[in-house]
Amino acid sequence: MNTISVEWGHESRVFVADDLPLSVGGKGCHVPIPGLVDEGPVAFLGHEAGDLFIQAAGDSGRPVAINCNGIPLTASRWLADADELTIGTARIRCQSDNETFRLRIEEPARERSRLTPEVSAEPAPPIGAVSPVDFTPRWQTAPRRRGFRIRSRAILLTAVLSVLAGAAWYVLTARAVRVETTPEAESLKVSGGLLTPKLGGRYLLRPGDYTVTARLGGYIELSAPLEVGPQTPPVVRFTLDPLGGTISIFSRPVDGASVTIDGHEAGATPLNDIQLSAGEHTVEVHAPLHLPYRTSFRIAPGDPPVELEAELEPNWAPVTIASTPSGASVSVDRSPVGSTPFSRHVEAGDRLVELRLSGFKLSSRRIRVVAGEPVDLGILRLEPEDGLLVVVSQPSGATVTVDAVFSGSTPLELAVAPDTVHEVRVSLAGHAAVTEEISVGPGDRSEVRAVLEMLTGEVVITSRPPGAELLIDGVARGTTGQTVRLEARPHEIEVRLEDYLPFRTTITPEPGLTQAVRAELRQEGAAGLPPVIMSPQGSELVLIGPGRFSMGASRREPGRRANEVLREVEITRPFYLAVREVSNQEFREFKSNHRSGAFGGANLEIDHHPVVNVTWEDAARYCNWLSEKAGLPPVYIGRRGSLAARSPLPQGYRLPTEAEWAWAARYPNASTAQKYAWGGSLPVPTQGGNYGDQSAEGILRSAIPGYHDGYPATAPAGSFQANALGLFNLAGNVSEWVQDIYALTPTAPGTVERDPTGPSTGPHHVIRGASWMDTAVTELRLSYRDYGNTARPDVGFRVARSAQLIGGER
């Protein structure tokens, strides 16, 4: 829109865009409206981006009805061609031709004689004097845009520019390639890609794949690929092969054999009149169940047509298979070939034969087929498919045995022999076991649902001094001196009292039996001694107080040996005991050339693992070396060609006595003796210690069924769970040399031994604690006593120290 023309009667006014906004109304307005002589502006005309709009004046003195296309004007509205406005009694028609927007004002017919507006005597202000009206459009409808018209010249110019740009892009990104043949072809064509223009004997080709076709009389038609890229040379040459002759190829005794000529596929027999170039050629013919056929020949120009008959030699043998039941599908090398009873030619070679039948297990055989030699597999008996047994329990996590064999934990799915009665037992600590007999059909699924009833037992818990704080499984339960009812599963009992060392033990209540826990609390820091000291190598030793206890095991205890005689022992003085075994690295600081070696391929030399393959005297000399570094008197002295401990024992570093070892290992809470390091019963719990587990099965003759500790041989010193005194691996990892010389029955029964140190002479020393090689109940018990006088790959040691002087000895 360039101009606005306002017309009424025989008069008109023309305005340009800079004149807007225009006032619409009576006296003094740019656009006079008949019938509004005395009125001021009732509306304004404005424009935005070349489009015209109208907006009612909000402050007109007398309200005047304004409508656009019959709709009352309440806000700003775009005006377009053919719109019709009514202001009062006047009608305004809108016309637009992209150059001029015309507003034609018409008077009502009955009042036409009175519609000539009263024009002010004052002349209308010149166009240049139009004053802008300050207002903000209030849009009554969404902005309406008129269509636009594109001139044909612009379209043509745009098309020409696009073509030129496309051509320039093609030229800049294409490569100029000359294609030549030897000899020169009569016709040559390059096809493929979007365009293949040729300029001055060169093709302009964009990167991509093309096909070159060339023809020349007396030569084989060329059809060759051409790949265009950054490395394509500017001239690409092809050689035309002279036309030699034709060949027809047949095969016997079978048709349909695949044929390759000079390594290129030519089709299947029979093949007729294949054109070949002059020269040497090689033909290969392949057919299933036959040996490959290969021949070479030469063709010269003008030679007569060649006929080639390929005699294929059989490469198969008949294979016969029957099954019970019959009807099983047969596959050879996993390709289906028929069903039983089966008799068919099978290609020579090593073959995998498989039989499948619903409800039965897969039957497979590997056979060697030799050409011409029949193979008869006879009648194969198919075994019924396993049944699926599903075992769930409430609560879950219960142990499942099937026919007395451990099978896993609930929830559990396992395959079982079909049509056989199986005994399924589901058990969980603290609950009554459930046993059920079940039979599962071939391919069927059966389920055992076990609801396990919780069992409880009574435990009386007392302490000395009384009234100590009681915790069960880490939960406060008041004070000692009470009877509690607990689930029949292992529970951690802890008794605490200020100024006393904590008492900890594990107990498994038994239904119908009242058990007792008596906590003998030891005062903290006995005799004013520090609870922990450090060796010169930085190893930690903890203080262990005195006490009275029973060594050995009852004759009724499973796994007991004759040397485990029950006897009463009293430790009268405190002592320090290392929390872990001496490591390879620590021992090599004393004896640099020592080697712990290996066992069954397992490395025993790792720095932070316990030292092994040491004798008792090796351990004693290490203790003297450690005493020297600490400025303490040595414990061991030479006596009749060997080492022996001084008596009474000085404060230097030494091996623990057997009584000290048993007191620390079996009575960490000064209560009832522990049978195993982890508690009172089997099986070994998860991470219960380093014993002969499944990972050691390859180097040991046996292993603990179902137990995995992750170490086939030694584990790091100080690994696994410490006991209540903070001592690691008193059972498990390595067995340990102790101070005492071995005797079958160290003392007479019925007496109380105080601070025993064993016999004064003898060929062997005592070894205590199970090792990574032990798997049987006998060795796993803490009361187990062993002995020896030579180094072993599963025996190490830990150090001890007396906590106070005896009889003034230094």
Side-chain angles (χ1 to χ4, degrees):
M1 179 193 71
N2 294 326
T3 60
I4 301 171
S5 174
V6 181
E7 303 172 3
W8 68 94
H10 299 289
E11 299 185 36
S12 65
R13 290 184 184 177
V14 178
F15 302 91
V16 296
D18 291 338
D19 298 331
L20 273 71
L22 303 178
S23 57
V24 180
K27 183 178 180 180
C29 292
H30 300 93
V31 180
I33 302 300
L36 301 180
V37 177
D38 297 326
E39 303 293 330
V42 296
F44 294 95
L45 293 171
H47 80 102
E48 182 178 343
D51 292 327
L52 190 68
F53 65 87
I54 185 169
Q55 177 177 310
D59 55 353
S60 61
R62 180 168 60 90
V64 176
I66 304 176
N67 295 288
C68 180
N69 299 326
I71 300 173
L73 185 68
T74 58
S76 300
R77 183 182 180 94
W78 295 106
L79 295 179
D81 185 37
D83 281 350
E84 183 175 290
L85 298 170
T86 56
I87 302 177
T89 59
R91 185 186 324 177
I92 305 175
R93 298 185 184 277
C94 301
Q95 294 178 336
S96 175
D97 60 359
N98 290 330
E99 297 291 336
T100 301
F101 199 101
R102 290 182 174 80
L103 299 174
R104 188 179 302 279
I105 304 172
E106 298 178 0
E107 302 173 0
R110 63 179 183 276
E111 297 180 4
R112 188 170 299 278
S113 61
R114 299 189 293 108
L115 288 181
T116 302
E118 295 183 12
V119 181
S120 172
E122 299 177 8
I127 295 304
V130 174
S131 299
V133 178
D134 184 18
F135 72 97
T136 300
R138 302 187 313 277
W139 302 112
Q140 180 174 346
T141 60
R144 292 169 52 193
R145 302 294 182 183
R146 296 188 303 275
F148 58 90
R149 190 179 302 166
I150 301 177
R151 298 179 180 274
S152 57
R153 285 180 295 176
I155 295 174
L156 179 60
L157 179 60
T158 301
V160 171
L161 291 176
S162 298
V163 171
L164 292 176
W169 169 82
Y170 189 92
V171 170
L172 292 175
T173 59
R175 292 183 64 83
V177 179
R178 179 187 294 278
V179 180
E180 298 179 351
T181 64
T182 303
E184 185 177 355
E186 295 173 348
S187 65
L188 189 145
K189 179 182 178 183
V190 176
S191 59
L194 182 62
L195 297 171
T196 56
K198 188 175 182 182
L199 298 175
R202 295 179 181 268
Y203 290 91
L204 290 180
L205 305 176
R206 294 206 68 251
D209 295 325
Y210 298 86
T211 299
V212 176
T213 304
R215 294 183 179 88
L216 179 62
Y219 290 84
I220 295 177
E221 179 180 329
L222 172 72
S223 180
L226 171 62
E227 181 180 355
V228 177
Q231 306 302 321
T232 303
V235 179
V236 179
R237 294 181 175 86
F238 296 92
T239 300
L240 301 180
D241 294 325
L243 183 62
T246 63
I247 185 172
S248 298
I249 303 174
F250 308 92
S251 62
R252 292 182 180 179
V254 293
D255 288 333
S258 63
V259 178
T260 61
I261 301 176
D262 300 329
H264 301 286
E265 292 184 4
T269 59
L271 293 174
N272 295 301
D273 300 328
I274 300 175
Q275 285 190 341
L276 295 178
S277 61
E280 188 81 20
H281 298 279
T282 298
V283 173
E284 292 187 6
V285 182
H286 297 265
L289 303 177
H290 291 78
L291 293 174
Y293 174 90
R294 187 175 188 272
T295 187
S296 298
F297 56 91
R298 175 177 292 278
I299 292 181
D303 283 353
V306 176
E307 287 192 0
L308 175 63
E309 289 193 1
E311 291 287 344
L312 303 177
E313 295 184 17
N315 188 38
W316 53 267
V319 175
T320 303
I321 308 172
S323 68
T324 301
S326 61
S329 63
V330 180
S331 63
V332 176
D333 294 336
R334 295 190 166 83
S335 296
V337 292
S339 60
T340 58
F342 171 86
S343 182
R344 187 167 298 188
H345 297 166
V346 175
E347 190 166 6
D350 292 330
R351 303 295 173 211
L352 173 65
V353 177
E354 295 175 314
L355 275 65
R356 291 178 173 83
L357 184 62
S358 178
F360 293 84
K361 293 182 180 179
L362 170 69
S363 177
S364 61
R365 299 284 189 279
R366 288 199 173 272
I367 63 173
R368 172 161 293 181
V369 179
V370 178
E373 298 181 7
V375 177
D376 188 350
L377 295 182
I379 300 175
L380 303 181
R381 185 174 298 277
L382 303 181
E383 297 181 11
E385 187 179 0
D386 285 338
L388 178 64
L389 176 63
V390 179
V391 185
V392 294
S393 69
Q394 179 63 39
S396 60
T399 297
V400 179
T401 61
V402 178
D403 299 329
V405 177
F406 173 77
S407 301
S409 302
T410 59
L412 177 68
E413 290 187 358
L414 69 157
V416 295
D419 297 330
T420 302
V421 177
H422 300 280
E423 183 182 79
V424 180
R425 187 174 188 272
V426 185
S427 60
L428 181 65
H431 296 76
V434 172
T435 301
E436 184 175 328
E437 292 186 345
I438 192 169
S439 177
V440 187
D444 291 344
R445 180 182 186 275
S446 295
E447 186 174 287
V448 172
R449 288 188 170 272
V451 178
L452 304 178
E453 179 185 356
M454 186 175 69
L455 301 177
T456 62
E458 288 187 345
V459 181
V460 179
I461 304 176
T462 59
S463 67
R464 192 169 62 177
E469 181 186 6
L470 172 64
L471 293 92
I472 301 176
D473 297 329
V475 179
R477 297 289 293 268
T479 59
T480 55
Q482 60 170 307
T483 300
V484 294
R485 180 170 290 277
L486 302 173
E487 293 180 26
R489 61 174 177 81
H491 295 275
E492 297 292 331
I493 307 296
E494 183 175 358
V495 178
R496 299 191 301 206
L497 187 63
E498 189 175 358
D499 297 329
Y500 289 82
L501 293 172
F503 167 93
R504 298 182 182 90
T505 190
T506 301
I507 191 169
T508 302
E510 296 185 18
L513 177 66
T514 300
Q515 297 175 283
V517 173
R518 300 177 181 87
E520 294 284 344
L521 300 179
R522 301 173 180 173
Q523 283 193 314
E524 193 170 13
L529 296 169
V532 178
I533 62 172
M534 305 298 289
S535 78
Q537 291 181 304
S539 295
E540 184 178 307
L541 290 85
V542 296
L543 179 66
I544 299 176
R548 179 172 171 172
F549 63 102
S550 295
M551 283 184 67
S554 167
R555 291 183 179 181
R556 296 187 301 271
E557 182 172 297
R560 177 190 182 272
R561 297 180 69 187
N563 63 359
E564 300 172 24
V565 178
L566 271 175
R567 53 191 175 124
E568 288 297 308
V569 173
E570 184 177 2
I571 304 291
T572 65
R573 63 180 187 270
F575 63 97
Y576 289 101
L577 186 61
V579 299
R580 58 174 176 80
E581 312 98 326
V582 174
S583 70
N584 280 305
Q585 181 177 356
E586 291 169 332
F587 192 80
R588 281 196 288 263
E589 290 181 25
F590 156 67
K591 189 176 182 179
S592 60
N593 63 348
H594 175 75
R595 293 294 177 265
S596 290
F599 186 86
N603 183 17
L604 305 177
E605 290 279 345
I606 302 172
D607 282 351
H608 59 289
H609 284 217
V611 66
V612 293
N613 280 320
V614 291
T615 64
W616 183 91
E617 291 203 354
D618 288 334
R621 289 189 178 92
Y622 171 85
C623 291
N624 280 353
W625 172 79
L626 209 57
S627 298
E628 182 182 353
K629 291 180 69 69
L632 298 172
V635 172
Y636 302 100
I637 59 175
R639 184 180 298 166
R640 292 188 292 275
S642 61
L643 291 178
R646 297 165 63 187
S647 181
L649 294 172
Q651 269 194 308
Y653 287 93
R654 58 180 174 81
L655 297 173
T657 67
E658 184 179 9
E660 289 171 339
W661 190 97
W663 176 233
R666 300 197 66 196
Y667 295 85
N669 298 307
S671 181
T672 55
Q674 285 190 202
K675 184 176 181 180
Y676 303 100
W678 59 84
S681 62
L682 293 171
V684 184
T686 302
Q687 292 298 297
N690 182 20
Y691 305 104
D693 72 323
Q694 297 292 315
S695 65
E697 205 168 19
I699 60 177
L700 301 179
R701 286 179 294 179
S702 62
I704 300 173
Y707 181 64
H708 298 267
D709 59 42
Y711 296 96
T714 58
S719 55
F720 296 93
Q721 182 68 38
N723 72 0
L725 296 174
L727 304 172
F728 294 90
N729 297 318
L730 283 168
N733 213 11
V734 294
S735 300
E736 301 178 8
W737 290 113
V738 295
Q739 175 110 318
D740 302 35
I741 290 174
Y742 174 76
L744 181 64
T745 55
T747 58
T751 61
V752 178
E753 290 186 277
R754 290 178 173 81
D755 303 317
T757 59
S760 58
T761 61
H764 301 95
H765 283 84
V766 178
I767 299 172
R768 292 301 298 260
S771 78
W772 60 269
M773 299 179 75
D774 293 322
T775 62
V777 172
T778 295
E779 292 85 2
L780 296 178
R781 296 173 308 113
L782 288 172
S783 61
Y784 171 66
R785 299 180 73 219
D786 197 4
Y787 60 92
N789 59 8
T790 57
R792 287 181 4 198
D794 67 329
V795 175
F797 67 97
R798 73 179 68 217
V799 298
R801 253 190 76 184
S802 297
Q804 59 189 26
L805 298 179
I806 303 298
E809 177 80 299
R810 295 194 63 85

